[in-house]
Amino acid sequence: MSDLKIKVRGLKKAFGPKQVLNGVDLDVPRGKSLVVIGGSGSGKSVLIKCILGLIEPDAGSIEIDGQEVVGMKAAEREDIMRKFGMLFQGSALFDSLPVWENVAFGLIAGRGMARAAAKEVALRKLAAVGLGPEVGELYPAELSGGMQKRVSLARAIAVEPEIIFFDEPTTGLDPIMAQVINELIVKCVQSLGATALSITHDMHSLRAIADQAAMIYEGRIIWAGDAKTIDHSGNAHVEQFVLGRAEGPIRMPVRPL
Amino acid sequence: MVARVLQPIGRTFLASLEASGRLALFTLQSMLHCVAPPFYPRLIVKQMIEIGFYSLPVIGMTAVFTGMVLVLQTYVAVSRLNAESTIPYVVVISLTRELGPVLAGLMLAGRVGAAMAAEIGTMRVTEQIDALRTLSTNPFKYLIAPRLIAAVLVLPVLVAIADIIGVFGGYLVSVYRLDFSPAIYLKNTVDFVETIDIVSGLVKAAAFGFIVALMGTYSGFQSRGGAQGVGKATTDAVVSASILILAANFIITGLFFTR
C-alpha cells in the first residue's frame, strides 16, 4: 500500500475565464496532517472541493488510497465519500434538525443506523468536543459560532472517517476559541488515526495542527515541506505570507485613494 | 453592425437552450431518484403534512369563496335565459374540472413552491447541500424526491376537499341568498356531475403537484450568491410553476375532453 493517502497531479479548474487551479500537485501522506495556506481567492477552497468530489475538475488526477476518483461513477463516488469527514468554514449545520441529529446524520441517513443507537454515538461525540447532552436538543441557530464549529467537528468525526477535511476551521472565532478548536482537531485526528487536510490563512492554526504544510498561489502549489520548517522556507512568497507583510512578491491590486 | 444585433439574440437563445437542458436533466434525475432506493418515508410523511395539512386553510378559503362567486356570476347570466336550474351543474363542473385544481395549484405554488425554493436555496448558499454529500447522502434522494412524491400524492386529496368545500360555498349562496331549494340543488349537483369530471381534475392536481415541487426544488437547487440569489430563486419558483400549471392545464384538458 502506498504511503500517500491523497495524491493530486496536474489539477486544473477554471470558472469562465478565471483559471482558479492551474496544475496543482499535492501529496498527503497517510496518517499525517497537512495544512494548505494561501491568500483569499488563491484556490484553496476549490482544491479541497475538487478532492471531496463537490466540484468536477477540468483536468488532472486525484487518487485516494491509490484509486483514481476523477470521472468516477456516482455510486463508486458515494463509497469513497464514506472515507471522508468535513468541517465547513461556515459549519453548514442543518438548521431544521436538532444538534444531536446533525451529529448523527451521517450514521442515520448515510449508514442506516437506528436512530436511538445513532443518538448515543452523537452524544458521545458531542462530549468529546466539550458539549453536554443538553446541547444535543438545541437547534443550530441557538448556538454561538464556537459551539457551531464544535458541533460541526463532532459531525465530521461521528462516522469515524479515514480522511478529515478542515475548511478554515478557526475563521471568525476569537483567539481562545480558535485555540480550543485547534486542540480539538489535533485530539480528534490523533484518536481516530485519520489523515487530515486543512486549508487556512491562520498561521496560529497551522502551527497548532500541521505536520506538513504547503502554500498555494495563483492556482499552483509553490512550496511544500515540514510544517516546522515554514519559517525558514527560503521562498519569498511563503515568507511574505508567514510574516504578514504587505510588501513582497504577492501584490494586491489596490489603487491609491 | 449586424453582428452587434445578432450576438445578444444568439446569446439569449443559447442561454435558454442551456436552461431548458438543465431543467430536463434535473427532472429526469429527480424522477429516477423517486423510484430507486433508498427511500426516506419519514421525510415523505413530513412533507405530506407540510404540503397538505398546512395548506388546507388556504385551499379551503379559496374554494369556498370561488364557489360563492361562481353562483352569483352564473345567476346573473342564466337568469336572463330562465335557466337557473343549471347553476348547480355549472358550479360543480367548473370546480371539479378547472377551478379546483388550477386555483389549488396556484395557491400551492405561492405557499409551498416558494418555501421549497427558499429552504433549498438557503441550504445551497450555506453549503448544507455540500455537507449532505460529504455525509454520503444524495441530495436528490434526501431533498428532492420526498417533496416530489409528497406533492404528487397530496394535491389530489387537497383538490378533492376543495371541490367539496367549493360546492358547499355555492350551496350556501344558492340556498340562503337566491332561495334555491336545498334538496333540488344537491340533487342537481349529484345528477349532473360525471366520473370523468372528477378524475380529470384529480389527474390535473397530481400533475400540478409535480410542477410545484419540481420548480420549487429546481429553483432552490440552482440558486447562487447569497440572499439575493435565494430571493430570485423564490420568485422564479412561483412564476415558473404558475405559468407551467396554466400551460399543463390546457394540455391535460385537451387530452381529456377533445374528441
Side-chain angles (χ1 to χ4, degrees), chain A residues 49 93-95 105 109 115, chain B residues 40 42 127-128 132 137 142:
Chain A
K49 285 183 177 177
L93 298 174
F94 305 124
D95 41 25
F105 191 91
R115 290 171 67 81
Chain B
Y40 295 99
R42 195 186 177 89
E127 294 184 309
Q128 290 179 50
L132 275 179
T137 305
Y142 189 79

Side-chain angles (χ1 to χ4, degrees), chain A residues 10-237:
Chain A
L11 199 67
K12 292 187 178 181
K13 180 69 190 177
F15 295 99
K18 185 167 172 54
Q19 191 73 38
V20 179
L21 299 181
N22 196 14
V24 170
D25 296 330
L26 186 71
D27 293 331
V28 185
R30 189 177 303 278
K32 296 285 182 189
S33 174
L34 184 140
V35 174
V36 178
I37 54 169
S40 300
S42 58
K44 303 189 297 292
S45 291
V46 175
L47 169 64
I48 211 168
K49 285 183 177 177
C50 283
I51 297 172
L52 273 164
L54 301 175
I55 293 176
E56 193 69 26
D58 298 332
S61 154
I62 301 169
E63 290 181 14
I64 309 284
D65 284 329
Q67 191 180 4
E68 179 62 50
V69 295
V70 175
M72 194 177 242
K73 287 180 184 165
E76 290 173 311
R77 184 88 228 184
E78 280 184 23
D79 285 340
I80 292 285
M81 281 289 195
R82 289 175 198 280
K83 297 182 178 187
F84 297 161
M86 168 82 178
L87 187 150
F88 286 85
Q89 183 177 356
S91 299
L93 298 174
F94 305 124
D95 41 25
S96 59
L97 300 178
V99 164
W100 80 262
E101 223 170 314
N102 265 279
V103 177
F105 191 91
L107 300 168
I108 298 170
R111 305 200 176 173
M113 187 185 274
R115 290 171 67 81
K119 187 170 184 177
E120 274 182 37
V121 176
L123 295 180
R124 267 206 314 276
K125 299 297 177 187
L126 282 172
V129 297
L131 297 172
E134 71 284 356
V135 176
E137 302 303 325
L138 300 175
Y139 280 81
E142 299 173 273
L143 306 179
S144 67
M147 287 168 91
Q148 288 187 7
K149 286 274 182 184
R150 284 194 272 173
V151 173
S152 188
L153 178 58
R155 183 175 70 178
I157 61 172
V159 291
E160 304 199 340
E162 295 174 29
I163 307 169
I164 312 180
F165 297 87
F166 299 99
D167 183 357
E168 307 276 10
T170 54
T171 296
L173 300 179
D174 66 74
I176 298 169
M177 183 53 72
Q179 190 54 29
V180 169
I181 295 291
N182 287 334
E183 286 171 9
L184 282 171
I185 288 172
V186 174
K187 186 183 101 178
C188 293
V189 170
Q190 284 178 351
S191 67
L192 289 173
T195 304
L197 174 58
S198 313
I199 55 172
T200 187
H201 50 243
D202 177 357
M203 290 307 298
H204 292 293
S205 191
L206 179 140
R207 292 182 208 285
I209 66 178
D211 298 317
Q212 300 203 326
M215 178 159 173
I216 188 168
Y217 178 65
E218 292 186 340
R220 282 199 181 92
I221 299 292
I222 55 165
W223 178 85
D226 195 303
K228 293 190 186 85
T229 66
I230 197 162
D231 293 317
H232 315 286
S233 64
N235 183 305
H237 292 79

